[in-house]
Amino acid sequence: MERPGPATHTLGLLLLLVVVAVATGGHGTPRDTLACSQGLACRLLDADVLCGTEPAGPGPGLALVWLRLEPALRCAGPAACSPCLQARLRLAVEPGAPRDGDNAGDVSPSTPASPPRNVSGLLLLSSHTYASSRCVAVEVWAPLTSVPPGRRLGSVRFRCFEAPLGSELHVTASTNARGRRWLSQKQRVPDCSWPDAQAAVPQCQVPRLQVSLGPKAVLVEVQAAAVGLNYTLRLYHNHSHGAGGSGRTVMASGPMNYSLPLEEVLPCLCLQVWLEIQDPLRATLCPFSHDAAAWERLWARTRLVLHDTGQALACSISAPCDLPAELVPCWSPAPGAQCQALPDLQQPVTGQGPQEFRTLQLHPNLCVQVRSGGQVRLMQCLQDRDHCVLSPGALPGHVDDLLLMEPGGNASLCALERGGCTPLASFTATVSVPWSPARCHRRHAANKPFPSQGSGRPGLLEQQLQEDVASGQCVQLWRPDNSSGVALWACPMHKYLRTRWALAWMGLLLCAACILLLLLLKKEDLKGWLKSLRAGYGNEAPLRGRRMLLLHAAEPAAERAACALAAALRPLGMAVVAAPGGGSGAAAWGTLPWLHAQHQRALRAGDTILILLSPAAEAAARRWDTADGAVPGSPEAGTTPDPRHDPVPAVSPCDAFAAALSCAVPVLAAGAGRYVVARLEATVAAVPPVLRAAPAFALPSQAGRLLRALAGRRSPGLRPLEAALSRRLRGALGE
């Protein structure tokens, strides 16, 4: 029996692989493709076999020359591709392979009757990633008619090995020849930066972000998002010193709209959207970095706090975004005065933590400004303790200290003032008035600058200040690191102020002595002046200098009560003007113009306006509530007085009183004016709602309380006057 030749062994191996593929159900996928160069024949046996179990061939056969991996796309549709790597291999004939005319060879499956002289082999390709592996078997054969050993036959291309975007793939190739050679190569699968993948791979198709600014909110639109895929929208604050916090995330499936309140829109607000896959591409947009309104909101939310770190000045800025600004320490001689920047001490704002001005010593006149774009955005001073974190105890130095600068190179001292440095030889000794909270409040309320007091000829204090620096009486605020730097000194000026204040007090005492001497010379005139002063401020006239406008209706009960009130208050020093009435003034002007003028005068002067409620006056006030302020007697009023009280004529007698209400009610509703309501308790049960904003008193039972309200203060001397006013009102009202 003849021994089987090499062709028989090869054919048996191929049949074994085919049987294994059929038995396992055919793991090959039709998407894998195989191509051979001219002169070679090849076919894909199995796209997923168990590598390392194939038997070696009986002798020399095909040999691998080189292996190359190339990126490719495997597509199931126009925009449904996945990235992969295709393998290109160059083959050659091993030395010792059968030649034309030998008694060996392979029988091609296609022509078993008359086989040509061929060389064949099994090509195995395997791929490995961090999560999976795969092995492919390929049958290759080539004619041996005129190919010497070691000569290249052609190439084989397998397409392709899939892997996740951006992952690394390790591909190994070998044949089943007896002297098999292994070739391996590592290649990274392209990510979404590959131009071919951006339009074809769904994971690389990032949605677009569109922002629309509205009057109260910002609308964020996620566009070009595939329906059915999960997306994440993130809103965060971007910082130059590191990525922003986790921010706010919103999940969506497909296109979406998200509304953001305008108060949350800041220059560092950024938007980011990505597909929920492994290592996705992210679309990022920071659309408000140049928005002026967003910058204004950021500065409004920024806080500057000064710190005492022991000996040096430090500060910290609290802001949700990075600030393109610098910190500038400055010298403010008085609250509200111009703050003089200290030279060579400014530094950029870095982060949110405390920033220290190295060896800058503390002083009450030191401030820190935050400047951005040439503007002072924030400023805090050490005198403002509400915005400072300082150690207990007083700050060293005095608010009247003078700031001196000593330039480098042994230059002479100069005084920092008004944006420049004045040499002491030309410096005029001008000092600021000592600061006090009351003075600061008055100047701020009047919107006036803080003046300076004291003047003198130039160079008056040059020698004294130089001696103070030399003797150590001045505090060195800043010490330079080298001899060419600038030194800053704070020198006391309050000792020079004492002489000026002593002269001022001496002059004041001299004037007081002269006035007292003149008064003593005119003793009788002094007695008369003291008597008039006592009469003006004693209990005999507690309401002297006060004025009251009395508004009442034109009916008998109201007129009697008004006359009684006026007669009781005039002896107490109060001027009472009753309306209606007015005498010659009302006759010359007319009732309504005169009444309007009196009301305006009372409002301007801060006089008391007393509204006396009688039945007719109450009816007019209630008509104001029910008829929206229509003047009684007019067609708009259309109502009649309350029948529970005394009957009111068809033609209302209180036209002037209704006009007075038209003047008083809007002012009273606005919370202005000094209004008092007095009701005749026998005929008016309650104050109408339109007048309840003013304090109310019932007459005559609360006459004492009314008198105290008019006097504006409590005084034991008012007790007898209260009883007299109550008796007079009871008599006028017939009680």
Side-chain angles (χ1 to χ4, degrees):
M1 179 181 291
E2 297 183 2
R3 296 179 61 185
T8 306
H9 283 279
T10 303
L11 182 59
L13 177 61
L14 295 177
L15 291 175
L16 175 63
L17 291 175
V18 171
V19 171
V20 171
V22 172
T24 55
H27 295 288
T29 170
R31 295 182 298 175
D32 291 331
T33 59
L34 189 67
C36 298
S37 63
Q38 188 175 4
L40 291 180
C42 58
R43 65 174 177 171
L44 182 65
L45 293 179
D46 198 340
D48 193 1
V49 299
L50 185 61
C51 296
T53 60
E54 69 281 353
L62 297 178
L64 293 176
V65 179
W66 54 257
L67 168 66
R68 185 172 67 186
L69 301 178
E70 300 173 345
L73 291 175
R74 171 177 288 173
C75 300
C81 300
S82 58
C84 64
L85 293 179
Q86 67 177 4
R88 288 183 179 272
L89 301 103
R90 179 72 68 178
L91 301 176
V93 179
E94 280 189 330
R99 298 297 307 277
D100 191 12
D102 295 340
N103 292 329
D106 292 309
V107 178
S108 174
S110 59
T111 57
S114 57
R117 297 298 181 179
N118 296 335
V119 59
S120 65
L122 190 64
L123 178 62
L124 297 172
L125 298 172
S126 62
S127 66
H128 302 275
T129 65
Y130 64 90
S132 63
S133 63
R134 181 185 175 201
C135 191
V136 177
V138 178
E139 179 190 10
V140 182
W141 65 91
L144 293 177
T145 55
S146 59
V147 180
R151 184 74 177 271
R152 296 182 180 181
L153 292 175
S155 62
V156 177
R157 185 189 68 184
F158 173 75
R159 182 187 180 102
C160 58
F161 292 114
E162 289 190 45
L165 287 167
S167 64
E168 188 178 61
L169 193 65
H170 185 196
V171 176
T172 303
S174 65
T175 63
N176 69 329
R178 186 174 55 190
R180 68 172 59 186
R181 180 186 179 189
W182 297 84
L183 295 180
S184 65
Q185 185 177 350
K186 291 182 180 181
Q187 179 78 17
R188 188 167 293 278
V189 179
D191 55 19
C192 290
S193 61
W194 185 30
D196 293 347
Q198 293 176 359
V201 179
Q203 292 87 340
C204 296
Q205 298 172 8
V206 182
R208 296 190 305 272
L209 289 170
Q210 181 70 31
V211 176
S212 302
L213 190 62
K216 294 184 178 179
V218 171
L219 182 64
V220 180
E221 300 179 61
V222 179
Q223 301 176 346
V227 178
L229 297 180
N230 294 326
Y231 294 90
T232 299
L233 174 65
R234 177 182 174 222
L235 298 91
Y236 65 97
H237 290 159
N238 189 32
H239 299 286
S240 60
H241 56 272
S246 59
R248 184 186 312 170
T249 56
V250 182
M251 306 296 295
S253 297
M256 66 168 294
N257 293 337
Y258 182 78
S259 181
L260 182 68
L262 205 60
E263 294 76 13
E264 300 181 17
V265 176
L266 299 174
C268 62
L269 178 64
C270 293
L271 314 171
Q272 198 174 70
V273 64
W274 65 87
L275 183 65
E276 283 294 331
I277 59 172
Q278 183 178 0
D279 299 329
L281 281 183
R282 303 190 180 204
T284 304
L285 182 64
C286 300
F288 309 107
S289 58
H290 300 288
D291 187 87
W295 280 105
E296 292 299 326
R297 281 189 288 271
L298 173 61
W299 285 113
R301 293 172 57 177
T302 303
R303 297 293 179 266
L304 172 64
V305 179
L306 304 185
H307 301 272
D308 177 10
T309 60
Q311 293 296 329
L313 176 63
C315 66
S316 61
I317 291 183
S318 174
C321 301
D322 291 338
L323 296 173
E326 62 177 2
L327 299 172
V328 181
C330 59
W331 178 273
S332 179
Q338 179 183 4
C339 200
Q340 175 73 35
L342 303 183
D344 302 333
L345 293 182
Q346 60 271 15
Q347 55 180 300
V349 176
T350 57
Q352 306 282 334
Q355 292 184 239
E356 186 175 339
F357 292 97
R358 295 181 288 175
T359 57
L360 181 61
Q361 302 300 308
L362 299 178
H363 192 277
N365 291 352
L366 282 181
C367 303
V368 176
Q369 294 177 339
V370 179
R371 297 186 181 182
S372 177
Q375 299 182 12
V376 178
R377 292 291 187 172
L378 297 172
M379 177 175 168
Q380 290 297 339
C381 299
L382 288 177
Q383 293 184 14
D384 188 5
R385 300 251 175 171
D386 294 338
H387 298 85
C388 303
V389 181
L390 304 176
S391 58
L395 292 172
H398 196 272
V399 293
D400 290 320
D401 289 353
L402 179 66
L403 183 62
L404 300 181
M405 184 178 74
E406 183 181 6
N410 296 324
S412 59
L413 292 170
C414 60
L416 282 173
E417 59 174 2
R418 295 186 292 274
C421 196
T422 305
L424 292 184
S426 305
F427 173 65
T428 301
T430 302
V431 292
S432 300
V433 176
W435 176 81
S436 66
R439 174 176 173 266
C440 178
H441 176 74
R442 291 194 300 269
R443 285 287 171 181
H444 179 73
N447 196 19
K448 295 180 180 179
F450 286 85
S452 297
Q453 290 185 354
S455 62
R457 60 180 176 84
L460 180 63
L461 297 179
E462 179 181 8
Q463 183 177 357
Q464 290 88 332
L465 292 175
Q466 289 177 348
E467 292 176 355
D468 290 346
V469 172
S471 61
Q473 296 186 34
C474 297
V475 179
Q476 188 170 10
L477 297 181
W478 173 256
R479 181 180 295 105
D481 296 333
N482 49 58
S483 59
S484 61
V486 174
L488 299 175
W489 303 83
C491 294
M493 294 293 289
H494 57 277
K495 60 182 179 180
Y496 305 112
L497 277 175
R498 290 174 185 153
T499 303
R500 299 175 181 270
W501 281 110
L503 293 176
W505 279 110
M506 289 176 62
L508 182 61
L509 292 176
L510 181 60
C511 292
C514 293
I515 294 174
L516 183 59
L517 180 60
L518 291 175
L519 293 177
L520 291 176
L521 293 177
K522 297 184 178 182
K523 186 176 180 181
E524 297 300 328
D525 295 339
L526 179 61
K527 289 182 178 180
W529 177 70
L530 292 176
K531 184 176 180 181
S532 62
L533 184 64
R534 183 180 57 185
Y537 290 94
N539 290 333
E540 296 179 0
L543 303 180
R544 182 176 299 277
R546 300 179 182 271
R547 188 174 179 275
M548 183 178 71
L549 176 61
L550 177 58
L551 303 178
H552 64 88
E555 62 175 329
E559 290 176 349
R560 290 195 302 270
C563 291
L565 274 174
L569 295 177
R570 284 193 181 104
L572 303 181
M574 174 172 278
V576 180
V577 178
S584 60
W589 287 54
T591 302
L592 296 183
W594 177 84
L595 179 61
H596 180 73
Q598 292 296 325
H599 185 264
Q600 291 298 320
R601 176 184 175 183
L603 290 177
R604 286 194 303 269
D607 299 336
T608 302
I609 302 175
L610 190 145
I611 301 175
L612 183 61
L613 289 181
S614 60
E618 181 195 19
R622 295 192 182 278
R623 290 191 193 100
W624 180 277
D625 284 330
T626 57
D628 296 330
V631 177
S634 63
E636 293 84 353
T639 58
T640 59
D642 193 339
R644 295 177 301 174
H645 305 301
D646 295 339
V648 179
V651 178
S652 177
C654 54
D655 291 342
F657 183 80
L661 285 181
S662 300
C663 297
V665 169
V667 180
L668 182 61
R674 291 187 58 191
Y675 288 92
V676 176
V677 176
R679 62 180 178 87
L680 303 181
E681 57 186 349
T683 55
V684 179
V687 177
V690 72
L691 299 176
R692 289 177 183 173
F697 304 91
L699 298 181
S701 63
Q702 295 181 342
R705 293 180 55 190
L706 174 62
L707 183 59
R708 289 194 297 273
L710 295 177
R713 63 181 184 273
R714 294 184 176 273
S715 175
L718 292 178
R719 296 291 182 182
L721 304 177
E722 294 171 6
L725 177 60
S726 178
R727 287 194 302 270
R728 186 181 291 267
L729 287 174
R730 293 182 187 278
L733 297 176
E735 297 184 5

